[in-house]
Amino acid sequence: MQDNMIAERSKAGQAAQTLKVKPKWHMTVLHIVYYLILVLFLVFYMLPFWGALVSSFKSNAEAISTSPIALPQNFSMEGYSGAMDLLAVSLLNSLVVTIFGAAGSVFLGSICAYALGKWRFKLNNVFFIALIAATYLPFQAILIPLLKNITNYGLYDNIWGIVLAHSIFGMPMCTTMMRGYYSEVPDALIRQAMIDGNGMWQIYRKIVVPNTKLATITTFVFQCTSIWNEMLFALVLANQGEGAQAPLATIVLNSFVGSTGVEINQLMAGSMILALPMLIIYIFMGKYLISGQMSGAVTAS
Amino acid sequence: MASITIKDMCVSYNKGKTYVLDKLNLDIKDGEFCVFLGPSGCGKSTAMYSIAGLLEPFSGQIYFGDKLMTETEGGKKKTFVPPQERNIAMVFQEYALYPNMTVRENMGFSLKTKKVPKDEIDRLVNEQAAKLELTDLLDRRIAQLSGGQRQRVALGRALVRSPQVFLLDEPLGNLDAKLRDQVRYELKKIQKELNVTTIYVTHDQTEAMTMADHIVLLSGGHIMQEGTPNDLYDHPANEFVAGFLGTPQINIFPCSVKEENGAYILDAGTFRLKAPDHVKASLAPYTGKKVDLGIRPSDFEIAQEGVNSIPAKLDSIEPLGDAYLLYVRIGEKVVVFKYAGEKAPTETEMLLKPNMEKLHLFDPETQKRINA
Ligand SMILES: Nc1ncnc2c1ncn2[C@@H]1O[C@H](COP(=O)(O)OP(=O)(O)O)[C@@H](O)[C@H]1O
Ligand SMILES: [Mg+2]
């Protein structure tokens, strides 16, 4: 009797698994409508990118006279060579500012996140709330005092001044992000490391950092993107135009639209060049998005 | 090597509003194997963390030898040696293995921190790995180990050091029965060899009975009783201790005490027993009152007939291999009786004769032991 019932049930289960649900006709129509809407949005979203891409391979004359989304009739690299001439120095500057600014803010953020997330000390909550508040502080609000400070340090119109500003203003965001990751490091590991004779910063170096590489990479990439695309600090903390000591690529690209009229192909090629590094970083990072790096630390399974 | 002394220690997780451990006083001798035993949530781990210095008690003192490790008063710390300076080895309930290291690196980590030379670390790790059958696993990562293997690594990691105090928090919890017996034996042997003061936390009374020199039985943040395993088993201080130690559990019969012709009678309603002479003095104040009579399952035997025996009906039999557990009915009450005979008894009606030398008598109100 009991066995029979089990057999019955498992047969039913198999049937349910292999059953092909035949949709009713109006469901099929609905599906088609859904997909149409999705495709429509995709087209709207991708069209500007597509336009920029095709225009960047046209001559300026063709770019001006033809539809912006038509394929180039004469494939031309003149936009790219022109853009590279104008952007070369500023791209290098941007790269330095991005890498060092992101590294600086991730480093500071990581230390803060560890201290705030894993240890109790006097007023730790006050510190944390202050940091959260700082995360939402708009840049514009502190621009003038920041400019004065940077000038006082003699770092106006200097890429290291911009690096410094990004390191410090990126720190609250990095702290918030990394605190989340660090909270997943089991307290038991930290207790064990203490028992094994390590102090607070030895534990940070030997246990916490090596076990949260993914967190560091993710936060770093996040910071890179926002610094690379940022314009306000770049604009305010350095001279622009002729004789600028620390021009950044985002600013220089915008100056393409300027006195001499617009060279659309150059502008579009410049945009492509600027988009490329972040695209590469994201593709590269996909490899590291493997979760479960803490597995096995504190449980049997 | 050190003795451990705890004086008036109170531990609170809410700044003194409630105490998880209340006025704990304890002396653990140098080289002793001390087991903290008690049901889950009674504060065993908390006591151990306080000793390790991972937790600041609300008040009280902890000494290793005559060196003051922790002193707090009213939540304020006066003296506190941080855990990394206490020279203790510890195995946590969660194994807390470092996922970024191999088994070998995990086991050698504390030595490396102490800047022990590399060959010495290798030697100690290899030696300990061999004892725990971990040699083949030394170069694996933690994620590639089974639960039992992880537990052995955690043990090995603690054993490679020569700590002054060795703390183990339910270290065998995730091992299967066979391995558990084996590791238990190894552990006890190593502890005797190293002669290092050890505190071992468990809720398993068999582990406590087999390993301990000194059992501290905790419940609800208080020490119920401490002493050697035999002290606790033969002279439980209260009904909780009597019930916690020994499988199957002790049988408790509520009885009224009557005095008849100069003898004391324990009357359980379904049977009457004449109390032996050595409990007379303890029973005297309870004349006309109730007591709880405790008889361990192994303290019965089958009698042919006679005084001081209990009529019982056989309910069911569980063979243990070398003995039988008989579930018998005395009136409506089901009682367990461990029968050591060759063959299980066949008759359903029997007379049980308790060993009157091993009676346990408790006050039903205070639950405290009455007889000496
Ligand atoms: N971090 C904590 N915060 C608050 N209460 C806790 C904490 N850790 C343990 N407790 C409480 O303290 C009591 C004792 O816990 P614990 O020492 O872990 O017990 P055991 O190890 O004997 O199972 C339990 O009631 C538990 O809920
Ligand atoms: Mg515990």
Side-chain angles (χ1 to χ4, degrees):
Chain A
M1 178 60 206
Q2 194 77 29
D3 286 352
N4 265 347
M5 269 174 62
I6 289 166
E8 282 301 328
R9 223 182 282 157
S10 74
K11 237 190 254 169
Q14 271 174 6
Q17 267 180 9
T18 53
L19 193 69
K20 284 238 161 52
V21 181
K22 211 173 192 176
K24 298 209 173 84
W25 68 269
H26 65 268
M27 287 303 285
T28 319
V29 171
L30 257 183
H31 269 117
I32 292 171
V33 172
Y34 285 152
Y35 280 109
L36 273 179
I37 292 173
L38 285 178
V39 168
L40 208 64
F41 272 103
L42 187 70
V43 168
F44 269 125
Y45 192 76
M46 291 303 286
L47 211 55
F49 182 75
W50 171 255
L53 185 67
V54 290
S55 299
S56 71
F57 289 110
K58 294 173 182 173
S59 69
N60 195 37
E62 189 187 335
I64 289 171
S65 58
T66 59
S67 155
I69 55 169
L71 281 170
Q73 280 150 0
N74 297 305
F75 192 81
S76 154
M77 291 299 283
E78 112 195 2
Y80 280 91
S81 65
M84 270 318 278
D85 283 347
L86 291 167
L87 284 174
V89 175
S90 62
L91 274 175
L92 201 67
N93 283 341
S94 279
L95 204 66
V96 171
V97 166
T98 300
I99 288 176
F100 284 93
S105 56
V106 168
F107 176 70
L108 294 175
S110 158
I111 288 177
C112 288
Y114 172 65
L116 286 170
K118 286 290 163 198
W119 298 85
R120 299 275 156 272
F121 50 91
K122 275 217 174 83
L123 298 181
N124 59 347
N125 281 331
V126 176
F127 277 100
F128 187 61
I129 290 166
L131 268 169
I132 295 270
T135 313
Y136 295 107
L137 197 69
F139 282 169
Q140 294 85 329
I142 43 92
L143 265 181
I144 303 300
L146 176 68
L147 178 62
K148 283 214 162 127
N149 264 323
I150 293 285
T151 313
N152 277 345
Y153 303 147
L155 290 174
Y156 180 76
D157 204 15
N158 181 327
I159 53 171
W160 298 108
I162 306 174
V163 167
L164 184 68
H166 279 304
S167 296
I168 292 167
F169 284 92
M171 181 193 77
M173 184 46 118
C174 290
T175 306
T176 321
M177 280 180 79
M178 299 194 87
R179 192 172 174 270
Y181 292 112
Y182 288 169
S183 68
E184 276 160 39
V185 177
D187 288 342
L189 274 192
I190 291 185
R191 285 198 290 262
Q192 179 67 53
M194 282 169 87
I195 296 287
D196 280 346
N198 296 277
M200 177 171 172
W201 295 108
Q202 276 174 308
I203 297 174
Y204 172 72
R205 209 156 32 84
K206 296 183 197 167
I207 307 297
V208 174
V209 172
N211 280 310
T212 52
K213 286 192 195 124
L214 176 65
T216 312
I217 291 170
T218 312
T219 316
F220 182 76
V221 168
F222 180 83
Q223 279 301 307
C224 280
T225 327
S226 62
I227 296 176
W228 181 260
N229 293 327
E230 201 273 340
M231 293 175 68
L232 202 52
F233 281 179
L235 204 58
V236 173
L237 298 180
N239 274 324
Q240 308 303 331
E242 281 300 307
Q245 296 297 302
L248 296 192
T250 39
I251 307 294
V252 175
L253 182 69
N254 274 277
S255 70
F256 283 17
V257 190
S259 44
T260 57
V262 190
E263 304 237 5
I264 289 192
N265 62 339
Q266 258 182 28
L267 184 61
M268 294 307 151
S271 304
M272 287 297 123
I273 293 171
L274 240 66
L276 201 62
M278 291 306 114
L279 202 64
I280 292 173
I281 282 192
Y282 269 101
I283 291 167
F284 169 76
M285 196 190 76
K287 197 170 93 178
Y288 288 95
L289 285 178
I290 307 154
S291 58
Q293 51 172 359
M294 293 307 296
S295 78
V298 292
T299 50
S301 57
Chain B
M1 310 293 133
S3 59
I4 299 171
T5 310
I6 299 177
K7 285 188 182 154
D8 288 332
M9 183 173 79
C10 300
V11 182
S12 170
Y13 283 109
N14 49 16
K15 301 191 172 132
K17 280 197 208 89
T18 53
Y19 292 132
V20 171
L21 293 172
D22 199 357
K23 286 233 175 238
L24 203 71
N25 278 289
L26 195 57
D27 261 307
I28 300 165
K29 290 199 196 73
D30 189 9
E32 195 168 66
F33 197 113
C34 176
V35 173
F36 288 179
L37 177 66
S40 185
C42 70
K44 308 178 295 288
S45 298
T46 303
M48 182 173 269
Y49 282 17
S50 306
I51 293 169
L54 294 168
L55 208 69
E56 277 172 31
F58 188 74
S59 60
Q61 293 127 24
I62 300 170
Y63 294 87
F64 286 6
D66 48 17
K67 189 160 186 294
L68 185 59
M69 288 286 148
T70 302
E71 180 172 19
T72 54
E73 203 181 293
K76 296 216 168 53
K77 88 178 144 191
K78 293 177 147 179
T79 311
F80 192 79
V81 179
Q84 62 266 33
E85 288 163 26
R86 293 191 182 201
N87 192 18
I88 42 185
M90 187 158 176
V91 177
F92 288 88
Q93 206 164 358
E94 317 97 342
Y95 327 111
L97 300 175
Y98 310 118
N100 58 319
M101 301 180 195
T102 61
V103 170
R104 184 189 298 283
E105 288 163 343
N106 260 283
M107 288 175 72
F109 184 63
S110 63
L111 298 174
K112 203 173 153 201
T113 305
K114 278 201 282 181
K115 304 213 159 54
V116 174
K118 193 161 178 322
D119 333 341
E120 181 70 2
I121 297 181
D122 280 345
R123 191 182 64 76
L124 290 166
V125 168
N126 287 338
E127 186 184 303
Q128 211 45 252
K131 279 190 190 154
L132 290 166
E133 294 176 29
L134 289 170
T135 307
D136 297 338
L137 306 176
L138 277 175
D139 294 308
R140 291 227 197 142
R141 293 217 158 254
I142 299 309
Q144 299 165 323
L145 302 180
S146 72
Q149 290 168 336
R150 283 176 197 173
Q151 199 134 28
R152 276 182 288 152
V153 175
L155 270 175
R157 180 172 61 178
L159 289 169
V160 294
R161 314 176 43 179
S162 357
Q164 69 174 328
V165 174
F166 195 20
L167 305 175
L168 301 139
D169 193 351
E170 314 219 9
L172 308 187
N174 290 292
L175 301 186
D176 59 47
K178 179 172 157 283
L179 204 56
R180 189 183 309 202
D181 288 348
Q182 187 188 335
V183 176
R184 193 163 71 190
Y185 162 79
E186 279 292 336
L187 200 63
K188 178 80 187 167
K189 204 175 76 180
I190 293 167
Q191 193 269 339
K192 278 285 153 266
E193 250 171 54
L194 300 174
N195 195 33
V196 50
T197 314
T198 302
I199 300 178
Y200 183 104
V201 162
T202 181
H203 62 262
D204 178 345
Q205 52 102 12
T206 319
E207 268 176 30
M209 292 295 285
T210 50
M211 299 175 90
D213 299 324
H214 179 179
I215 295 182
V216 178
L217 183 49
L218 292 159
S219 174
H222 294 272
I223 296 180
M224 290 286 117
Q225 190 176 3
E226 57 168 319
T228 64
N230 283 340
D231 282 345
L232 267 66
Y233 188 82
D234 294 335
H235 300 280
N238 53 45
E239 268 186 53
F240 177 84
V241 178
F244 202 84
L245 292 175
T247 44
Q249 263 197 0
I250 193 166
N251 302 295
I252 299 281
F253 305 93
C255 296
S256 37
V257 182
K258 292 177 181 149
E259 196 186 351
E260 287 175 12
N261 311 326
Y264 289 100
I265 305 292
L266 296 164
D267 187 350
T270 45
F271 62 85
R272 288 161 61 90
L273 294 175
K274 180 168 166 282
D277 288 345
H278 66 93
V279 297
K280 260 185 166 173
S282 333
L283 273 180
Y286 288 88
T287 316
K289 294 192 197 146
K290 296 246 164 207
V291 296
D292 284 344
L293 165 66
I295 305 173
R296 294 210 183 267
S298 49
D299 292 340
F300 287 108
E301 54 189 39
I302 295 182
Q304 293 320 311
E305 53 99 49
V307 285
N308 265 2
S309 54
I310 305 171
K313 266 202 191 84
L314 187 61
D315 217 46
S316 66
I317 300 177
E318 277 180 15
L320 293 177
D322 55 347
Y324 297 90
L325 280 189
L326 306 186
Y327 290 83
V328 299
R329 267 175 202 284
I330 298 176
E332 286 304 301
K333 192 176 166 68
V334 178
V335 168
V336 193
F337 154 39
K338 192 168 175 185
Y339 176 68
E342 291 273 311
K343 281 211 187 81
T346 45
E347 63 274 22
T348 52
E349 305 267 335
M350 56 178 73
L351 285 173
L352 297 182
K353 197 174 173 64
N355 182 343
M356 297 306 274
E357 294 308 307
K358 294 193 174 173
L359 295 186
H360 305 279
L361 296 168
F362 304 99
D363 185 314
E365 299 208 333
T366 62
Q367 303 268 301
K368 290 214 167 80
R369 186 183 183 86
I370 298 169
N371 58 329

